[in-house]
Amino acid sequence: MDAHLRELYQEIILDHSRHPRHFGTLTDANHRADGFNPLCGDKVSIYLKVNGEDRIEDIAFEGKGCAISVASASLMSEMLKGRKVDEAETLMGGFLELVKGGEGADLSDDDREYLEAMAGVSAFPMRVKSATLAWHAMKSALEGDGTAKTE
Amino acid sequence: MDAHLRELYQEIILDHSRHPRHFGTLTDANHRADGFNPLCGDKVSIYLKVNGEDRIEDIAFEGKGCAISVASASLMSEMLKGRKVDEAETLMGGFLELVKGGEGADLSDDDREYLEAMAGVSAFPMRVKSATLAWHAMKSALEGDGTAKTE
Amino acid sequence: MSALSLKPHLYDVEAIRQDFPILAREVHGRPLVYLDNAASAQKPKQVMNKITDFVTTEYSNVHRGVHFLSAAATDRYEAARGRVKTFLNAAHEDEIVWTRGGTEAINLVASSFLSPRLEPGDEIVLSVMEHHSNIVPWHFLRERQGASLRWVDVSDDGELDPEDVARAIGPNTKFVAITHMSNVLGTHTALKEIVRIAHERGIPVLADGCQASVHGKVDVRDLDVDFYVMTGHKLYGPTGIGVLYARKAHLKAMRPYQGGGEMIREVTKANVTYAEPPMRFEAGTPPIIEAVGLAAALDYLDSIGRDAAAAHENALARRAEAKLKALNGVRLIGEARDKGPIVSFETIGIHAHDLATILDREGVAVRAGHHCAQVLMERCGVVATARASFGLYNTEAEVDALVDAVQIARKVFA
Amino acid sequence: MSALSLKPHLYDVEAIRQDFPILAREVHGRPLVYLDNAASAQKPKQVMNKITDFVTTEYSNVHRGVHFLSAAATDRYEAARGRVKTFLNAAHEDEIVWTRGGTEAINLVASSFLSPRLEPGDEIVLSVMEHHSNIVPWHFLRERQGASLRWVDVSDDGELDPEDVARAIGPNTKFVAITHMSNVLGTHTALKEIVRIAHERGIPVLADGCQASVHGKVDVRDLDVDFYVMTGHKLYGPTGIGVLYARKAHLKAMRPYQGGGEMIREVTKANVTYAEPPMRFEAGTPPIIEAVGLAAALDYLDSIGRDAAAAHENALARRAEAKLKALNGVRLIGEARDKGPIVSFETIGIHAHDLATILDREGVAVRAGHHCAQVLMERCGVVATARASFGLYNTEAEVDALVDAVQIARKVFA
Ligand SMILES: Cc1ncc(COP(=O)(O)O)c(C=O)c1O
Ligand SMILES: Cc1ncc(COP(=O)(O)O)c(C=O)c1O
């Protein structure tokens, strides 16, 4: 097995894909969005509870997808829980950079280290959309006006 | 100028194209049809007066077209005037053979000689439709039920 | 020359592979194992040479020209139409309409044949294993004209019972659109029987032959089908071209599809009249080079022998199925008795996209996804499958490479 | 190497001709003089080599695949879209829709943009010098939806006054469809001015750029046009491909054109949702090889220099016009001030088809007929014209061969 593949399917990715964190729904979510990749049929739904101070108090996701998309959603949920909304947006920018082969210069060292597990995707351009699906859904959820996408 | 071309535009063809015989309409026609070549825009209208004995008593044509199509219509009008309808059909068969490079075996020697002026077209496949336009219109005129296409 | 070529009865796959230069390439340092033929086939040298030769010696626009090159190009182009007529055993050349692909051919029938005949509430019968190209044009008629779609199910093995088509046809049925071979399950449908059943009830049938036409002979007169669809790029020919076969009587009764040059009789400011079929349906400059290329591809396919190629491909597919089934945790999707060289499968615990990514690193190209058959995915209860599909140039060694690569994937995910 | 190549400012037509092997052939024992470029252009080696190279090393179906070849082919295919974007100076790649030709591009706009917005009595403004491809799709809307066509005349010289467009636009006008360059008269229209006039009145404009895009730079943003149409085979590229440029906002508001794979978001038994533009309008397997070939053709054209090529071609056309006019009994059809390299003419007493037949025997390929512009023929009071149209590889000697051949024809008919 080649090195790129080993990096892509490293232990932490496989672990998150087998045991996704925060998998399920939130009954008290006030933000919600669905992501869908029409090319492969992968789906993800993101549930957020954002409090009055713009902090993501709780997060959950569910869906069907490949190891990359599930692991990415799971890693994301771990990172974002407890963060402020604007931090989440910075993290997303850094993440998108990393999976496209960039540096993620705006990320803190800790965050970069954590997200680097996903950087292996950059060698697999056809899989980048799998990695970004959950993040794009998260962005839609945050940008939703809190009504249409709220449950 | 090459030999094929000289044969195509031989004097008799040029003469018929410049001075078409029976050019015009027939006020007492009882068969009529229009021919149209959508590829080049050539048009011909054929007027026939067929008497009770199925003989083509009179014939006329009008239209716009290239030298080949006008000469062919003019030659046709000369040949058909006075012929029986079934003879006209045989002549058409022979003519179609000749312009496609065949022998015209069913034609009488006189008719073959007369029509052979058009045989030069067979070396110009893209022009065969010009030569056959009037003949096809004549056929439609004869096959018309004598009402719809009669004036 | 390989030793095999001394034995004329044998299928000389090594010699065939020489015709496809791309097969000699490597991918990620491994020999390419191209098993994505149902998506698109590679092109033999014979096709590319014919295209280059045509462009280099006889190219011009067709039909309207008097000059030599225009006559030559028109001859080549119309001869290609004749070639397709023979390939399908159609009765007349003017029953062959060029399109830009299989998808356009189906849209043409939906729009020019069915749409003007349709009243709200009229029904179109189709199977759950259709490709999107044989679903969405009918959904258009539902959205825009109030037609309703009646779906014929398949068995868990992926078989389609012609009696289920009979049952789906009701008093309001106006059309049956059915695949001749599923691009996911590999199922060959009993098309002749389906046509018989539909015709008994006076209903015309369109068959999507985009896959079936690649794997064995097709005889549209024997099938008695009203419309038959093929696509060039799966037939070892160029992209940008497809074929609609339609009975003359249907074509004559159909309204034009696109408007433009070539398809008219006369255009004035006030009015327009249309040319006879097939030109009525071929607006604008047609795919001239592609038609010449497709004819060369059909020549190539027939030089190998369509039945011989199909036998070879099917043997590879059956070998792949047997070996994959022998692995734990692999589930075949589609086990019809009459099945072509398409093998869809699921690897328990490994999503098709992850599998395909790992296979790719081993040089093995398979397709992963819904294969433009979401209705079927839903029916089978999966989001995506992996699909290995075989062409006339594949080998037993490539089957084994596929199976080895699947085992590597299982180790990654162990 | 010819002496000319020592002078870099000069247009080295002899070197260019080496790129087109077909130009070296003979016809009826005479060197080919190909002056039918407005019907279709010949293809340079560079295009054919790129196509063969692509097919030999990177071919696969696009978009849906995970494997290496699919990724490579998708990259090449989408890069071709980017190439077209640059060629037209469009703002976004997703404003470029692939079609099977110029004709399909216009039909797409008629059907997906205008048709759903149209009420009976609504008017479409177009000029009398449109090609059938920019007439018949609008006649469809007249036949099927009761639209009415308003025709803008041209002057006897073949000029189109933008003020006449202004006058044709009334309260019921919904659309303007106008050529950017006539394929018969060679007239360049004042497109930017026409768009300005139409936009002042809130009316969108489609420009048929099938001819104009071949002869000089086009900047869709500067023109501010809503829709712009090109066709590959006239641009020294393959058949089977064309381009629709459309503003993003229009594309987003348009309904799908054909239904099939790639253009959907999700398909169920009950429903279908559609992909974003441009994919919404690209059902089925697209013209992948043709897109790669067209990009190579655009590279080729830009390597020569579009303005340099146009200057060369126009000089040839003006030379031809001067020489033909000097003959007795030749009438030019189309003498607009702003005119491209298309020369239509009538030879008094010789029908265009007879003329073209005689010219062909001299090796000179011209088009004779109505050039898919019957409305214009009517306006000009002719049934057919002969048309010599120049490409970037034509020479002064070829102009002279044309004129000599016309004189031979006059002798035949003397
Ligand atoms: C069964 C089937 N029908 C239709 C199509 C559509 O063909 P195309 O994409 O070439 O238009 C395909 C392939 O994509 C297919 O497999
Ligand atoms: C001005 C003009 N518009 C449209 C077309 C149609 O292009 P195509 O036949 O490639 O679809 C042509 C050429 O035939 C043309 O010259």
Side-chain angles (χ1 to χ4, degrees):
Chain A
M1 195 178 57
D2 73 22
H4 285 306
L5 209 54
R6 211 173 307 122
E7 211 186 312
L8 181 65
Y9 293 110
Q10 53 186 271
E11 200 42 49
I12 176 167
I13 300 290
L14 293 176
D15 179 55
H16 274 268
S17 80
R18 288 195 195 102
H19 313 289
R21 325 303 196 247
H22 307 105
F23 194 84
T25 62
L26 286 187
T27 43
D28 57 347
N30 53 9
H31 290 255
R32 201 213 126 145
D34 297 324
F36 177 54
N37 181 345
L39 294 182
C40 63
D42 285 359
K43 286 182 181 180
V44 67
S45 300
I46 303 283
Y47 305 85
L48 301 174
K49 187 176 168 196
V50 180
N51 68 17
E53 285 147 20
D54 268 358
R55 194 173 291 282
I56 299 173
E57 228 179 77
D58 206 356
I59 184 166
F61 78 96
E62 57 178 4
K64 280 187 176 184
C66 61
I68 307 300
S69 72
V70 173
S72 178
S74 172
L75 279 161
M76 180 184 84
S77 69
E78 287 247 295
M79 284 204 89
L80 295 192
K81 188 164 172 178
R83 302 272 192 150
K84 300 274 281 197
V85 167
D86 52 358
E87 277 180 279
E89 270 154 17
T90 313
L91 285 173
M92 169 158 186
F95 172 79
L96 289 182
E97 267 189 46
L98 283 176
V99 294
K100 288 173 183 160
E103 301 267 298
D106 287 351
L107 294 170
S108 73
D109 287 354
D110 275 4
D111 288 342
R112 187 176 321 105
E113 201 179 321
Y114 191 77
L115 285 175
E116 231 150 36
M118 294 297 304
V121 178
S122 64
F124 296 82
M126 302 308 270
R127 304 305 306 285
V128 168
K129 281 196 174 155
S130 301
T132 58
L133 181 64
W135 290 80
H136 283 298
M138 179 275 292
K139 192 158 189 264
S140 307
L142 286 175
E143 285 171 359
D145 59 8
T147 51
K149 285 170 181 164
T150 297
E151 289 195 347
Chain B
M1 195 176 59
D2 72 21
H4 285 306
L5 209 54
R6 211 173 307 124
E7 210 187 311
L8 180 65
Y9 294 111
Q10 52 186 271
E11 201 41 50
I12 179 168
I13 299 290
L14 293 177
D15 180 55
H16 274 269
S17 81
R18 288 196 194 102
H19 312 289
R21 325 303 196 246
H22 308 103
F23 194 84
T25 62
L26 285 188
T27 43
D28 55 350
N30 54 8
H31 289 256
R32 203 212 125 145
D34 297 324
F36 177 54
N37 181 344
L39 293 182
C40 63
D42 285 359
K43 284 182 181 179
V44 67
S45 300
I46 303 284
Y47 305 84
L48 301 174
K49 187 176 168 195
V50 180
N51 68 16
E53 284 147 21
D54 266 359
R55 193 173 291 282
I56 299 173
E57 229 178 76
D58 206 357
I59 183 165
F61 79 95
E62 56 178 5
K64 281 186 177 183
C66 61
I68 307 300
S69 73
V70 174
S72 178
S74 173
L75 279 160
M76 180 184 83
S77 69
E78 286 247 295
M79 284 204 90
L80 294 193
K81 188 162 171 179
R83 302 271 191 150
K84 300 274 280 197
V85 166
D86 53 359
E87 278 180 277
E89 270 153 18
T90 313
L91 285 172
M92 170 158 185
F95 172 79
L96 289 183
E97 267 189 45
L98 284 176
V99 295
K100 288 175 184 159
E103 302 266 299
D106 288 350
L107 294 169
S108 73
D109 286 354
D110 275 5
D111 288 343
R112 188 177 319 105
E113 202 179 322
Y114 191 75
L115 286 175
E116 230 150 36
M118 294 298 304
V121 178
S122 63
F124 296 82
M126 302 308 270
R127 303 305 306 285
V128 169
K129 282 197 174 155
S130 302
T132 58
L133 181 64
W135 291 81
H136 284 298
M138 180 273 293
K139 192 158 189 263
S140 307
L142 287 176
E143 286 171 359
D145 59 8
T147 49
K149 284 171 181 163
T150 298
E151 287 195 349
Chain C
M1 274 279 165
S2 79
L4 281 182
S5 61
L6 298 175
K7 309 184 196 154
H9 315 308
L10 287 183
Y11 187 87
D12 189 353
V13 69
E14 288 308 325
I16 290 171
R17 291 177 72 82
Q18 301 304 312
D19 296 331
F20 295 83
I22 198 172
L23 297 180
R25 75 160 285 165
E26 295 197 336
V27 159
H28 306 304
R30 305 296 177 93
L32 169 65
V33 176
Y34 186 74
L35 302 180
D36 192 20
N37 294 287
S40 199
Q42 300 298 338
K43 323 300 171 202
K45 284 190 296 205
Q46 285 83 343
V47 168
M48 300 315 291
N49 290 347
K50 186 76 84 183
I51 286 175
T52 302
D53 178 61
F54 173 61
V55 166
T56 309
T57 62
E58 297 194 314
Y59 178 75
S60 157
N61 211 327
V62 293
H63 284 321
R64 289 163 295 181
V66 164
H67 62 77
F68 178 89
L69 285 181
S70 181
T74 302
D75 284 351
R76 295 286 291 270
Y77 168 74
E78 289 300 335
R81 197 191 298 276
R83 186 65 188 80
V84 171
K85 176 210 143 199
T86 315
F87 189 83
L88 290 175
N89 195 32
H92 304 285
E93 286 180 17
D94 44 15
E95 295 181 325
I96 306 301
V97 179
W98 298 117
T99 65
R100 64 172 185 78
T103 299
E104 180 172 60
I106 300 173
N107 280 272
L108 198 165
V109 175
S111 163
S112 291
F113 179 83
L114 194 55
S115 166
R117 287 171 172 70
L118 212 60
E119 315 263 304
D122 282 350
E123 292 171 358
I124 301 160
V125 168
L126 65 175
S127 89
V128 298
M129 66 180 164
E130 300 308 316
H131 187 278
H132 289 166
S133 292
N134 201 21
I135 296 177
V136 184
W138 316 116
H139 263 316
F140 280 2
L141 298 182
R142 179 189 58 72
E143 284 183 341
R144 298 175 189 180
Q145 295 183 251
S148 83
L149 306 188
R150 299 224 28 196
W151 296 90
V152 179
D153 198 10
V154 293
S155 73
D156 289 342
D157 282 346
E159 295 195 347
L160 187 141
D161 183 350
E163 286 308 316
D164 285 339
V165 177
R167 277 184 283 272
I169 294 177
N172 295 326
T173 301
K174 287 284 157 12
F175 203 72
V176 173
I178 213 103
T179 191
H180 196 194
M181 175 174 162
S182 159
N183 67 312
V184 179
L185 306 176
T187 309
H188 282 293
T189 54
L191 181 56
K192 191 173 173 178
E193 175 66 5
I194 292 168
V195 171
R196 198 189 55 71
I197 287 171
H199 283 184
E200 265 176 18
R201 291 155 179 82
I203 312 299
V205 177
L206 173 141
D208 175 357
C210 288
Q211 296 294 340
S213 59
V214 187
H215 306 290
K217 293 216 179 94
V218 174
D219 182 332
V220 289
R221 275 190 283 178
D222 179 57
L223 291 167
D224 199 29
V225 69
D226 299 87
F227 302 96
Y228 196 88
V229 170
M230 303 199 294
T231 198
H233 64 97
K234 298 194 208 266
L235 283 160
Y236 307 96
T239 49
I241 190 160
V243 167
L244 172 65
Y245 157 82
R247 295 224 196 130
K248 217 172 183 170
H250 290 323
L251 286 178
K252 282 202 169 273
M254 279 159 66
R255 74 173 188 195
Y257 182 53
Q258 296 178 345
E262 310 280 8
M263 55 71 76
I264 56 96
R265 187 175 150 81
E266 203 168 7
V267 177
T268 67
K269 285 183 183 178
N271 204 13
V272 52
T273 52
Y274 302 108
E276 290 298 304
M279 286 179 73
R280 188 189 301 163
F281 306 102
E282 297 178 347
T285 301
I288 304 167
I289 299 172
E290 291 74 13
V292 170
L294 180 55
L298 302 185
D299 284 345
Y300 182 79
L301 198 43
D302 277 337
S303 78
I304 305 288
R306 273 186 269 172
D307 290 337
H312 172 78
E313 295 154 359
N314 287 334
L316 297 179
R318 299 301 85 81
R319 179 186 179 99
E321 285 164 354
K323 292 202 161 207
L324 288 171
K325 261 185 131 160
L327 303 180
N328 267 336
V330 174
R331 182 167 84 91
L332 295 183
I333 297 173
E335 301 194 75
R337 273 157 301 179
D338 190 1
K339 192 178 165 183
I342 293 179
V343 180
S344 278
F345 60 100
E346 226 193 353
T347 316
I348 311 305
I350 314 181
H351 188 283
H353 278 93
D354 296 313
L355 182 72
T357 297
I358 296 171
L359 264 50
D360 179 54
R361 284 279 149 174
E362 299 297 316
V364 179
V366 299
R367 193 99 335 203
H370 55 60
H371 316 291
C372 293
Q374 290 177 346
V375 171
L376 180 64
M377 295 293 110
E378 173 86 39
R379 162 66 180 85
C380 298
V382 293
V383 168
T385 80
R387 179 186 71 184
S389 53
F390 298 89
L392 50 77
Y393 38 62
N394 289 123
T395 65
E396 292 194 352
E398 291 183 315
V399 172
D400 299 345
L402 163 71
V403 178
D404 290 348
V406 171
Q407 280 179 299
I408 289 173
R410 284 149 50 89
K411 263 181 228 139
V412 173
F413 275 81
Chain D
M1 274 279 165
S2 80
L4 280 182
S5 62
L6 299 174
K7 308 183 195 156
H9 315 307
L10 287 182
Y11 186 86
D12 190 352
V13 70
E14 288 308 324
I16 290 170
R17 290 177 72 82
Q18 302 304 312
D19 296 331
F20 295 83
I22 198 172
L23 298 179
R25 75 160 283 165
E26 295 198 336
V27 158
H28 307 305
R30 304 298 177 92
L32 169 66
V33 176
Y34 186 75
L35 301 181
D36 193 20
N37 294 286
S40 199
Q42 299 298 339
K43 323 299 171 202
K45 284 190 296 206
Q46 287 82 343
V47 167
M48 300 316 292
N49 290 347
K50 187 76 83 181
I51 285 174
T52 302
D53 178 60
F54 173 59
V55 166
T56 309
T57 62
E58 296 194 315
Y59 178 75
S60 157
N61 211 328
V62 294
H63 284 322
R64 290 163 294 180
V66 164
H67 61 77
F68 179 88
L69 285 181
S70 182
T74 303
D75 283 351
R76 294 286 292 270
Y77 169 74
E78 289 300 335
R81 198 192 299 275
R83 185 65 188 83
V84 172
K85 176 209 144 199
T86 315
F87 190 82
L88 290 174
N89 195 32
H92 305 285
E93 287 180 17
D94 44 16
E95 295 180 326
I96 306 301
V97 179
W98 298 117
T99 65
R100 63 172 186 77
T103 300
E104 179 171 62
I106 299 173
N107 279 273
L108 197 166
V109 175
S111 163
S112 292
F113 179 82
L114 194 55
S115 167
R117 287 170 172 70
L118 212 60
E119 315 262 304
D122 281 350
E123 292 170 358
I124 301 161
V125 168
L126 65 175
S127 90
V128 298
M129 66 179 165
E130 300 309 317
H131 186 280
H132 289 165
S133 292
N134 200 22
I135 297 178
V136 184
W138 316 116
H139 263 314
F140 281 2
L141 298 183
R142 179 188 58 72
E143 284 183 341
R144 300 175 188 178
Q145 295 183 252
S148 83
L149 307 187
R150 299 223 31 195
W151 297 90
V152 179
D153 198 11
V154 294
S155 74
D156 290 341
D157 282 347
E159 295 196 345
L160 187 141
D161 184 349
E163 285 308 315
D164 286 338
V165 177
R167 276 184 283 272
I169 293 177
N172 295 326
T173 301
K174 286 284 157 13
F175 204 72
V176 173
I178 214 103
T179 190
H180 196 194
M181 175 174 163
S182 160
N183 67 312
V184 178
L185 306 176
T187 310
H188 282 293
T189 54
L191 181 56
K192 191 173 172 176
E193 175 65 5
I194 292 168
V195 170
R196 198 190 53 72
I197 286 170
H199 282 184
E200 266 176 20
R201 291 155 178 82
I203 312 298
V205 177
L206 172 142
D208 175 356
C210 288
Q211 295 293 342
S213 58
V214 187
H215 306 290
K217 292 214 179 97
V218 174
D219 182 331
V220 290
R221 275 190 283 178
D222 179 56
L223 292 167
D224 200 28
V225 68
D226 299 87
F227 302 96
Y228 196 88
V229 170
M230 303 199 294
T231 199
H233 65 97
K234 298 194 209 268
L235 283 160
Y236 308 96
T239 49
I241 189 160
V243 167
L244 172 65
Y245 157 81
R247 296 224 195 129
K248 217 173 183 168
H250 290 323
L251 286 178
K252 281 201 170 276
M254 280 159 65
R255 74 174 187 193
Y257 182 52
Q258 295 178 344
E262 309 281 8
M263 55 72 77
I264 57 95
R265 189 175 148 80
E266 203 167 8
V267 178
T268 66
K269 285 184 184 178
N271 204 14
V272 51
T273 53
Y274 302 108
E276 291 297 304
M279 286 179 73
R280 188 189 300 163
F281 306 103
E282 297 179 346
T285 301
I288 303 167
I289 298 171
E290 291 74 14
V292 170
L294 180 56
L298 302 184
D299 284 345
Y300 182 80
L301 198 43
D302 278 337
S303 78
I304 306 287
R306 273 186 269 174
D307 290 338
H312 172 77
E313 295 154 359
N314 287 334
L316 297 178
R318 300 300 87 80
R319 179 186 179 100
E321 284 164 355
K323 292 202 162 206
L324 288 171
K325 261 183 129 159
L327 305 179
N328 267 336
V330 173
R331 183 167 84 91
L332 296 183
I333 297 173
E335 301 195 76
R337 273 156 302 180
D338 190 0
K339 191 177 166 183
I342 292 179
V343 180
S344 279
F345 60 100
E346 225 193 354
T347 315
I348 311 305
I350 315 180
H351 188 284
H353 277 94
D354 297 312
L355 182 73
T357 297
I358 297 172
L359 264 49
D360 179 53
R361 285 280 148 173
E362 299 297 315
V364 179
V366 300
R367 192 100 336 203
H370 54 60
H371 315 292
C372 293
Q374 290 177 345
V375 171
L376 180 64
M377 295 293 111
E378 173 87 38
R379 163 65 181 86
C380 297
V382 294
V383 168
T385 81
R387 179 186 70 183
S389 53
F390 297 89
L392 49 77
Y393 38 61
N394 289 123
T395 66
E396 292 193 353
E398 291 182 315
V399 172
D400 299 345
L402 164 70
V403 178
D404 290 348
V406 171
Q407 280 179 300
I408 288 172
R410 282 150 50 88
K411 263 181 227 138
V412 174
F413 276 80

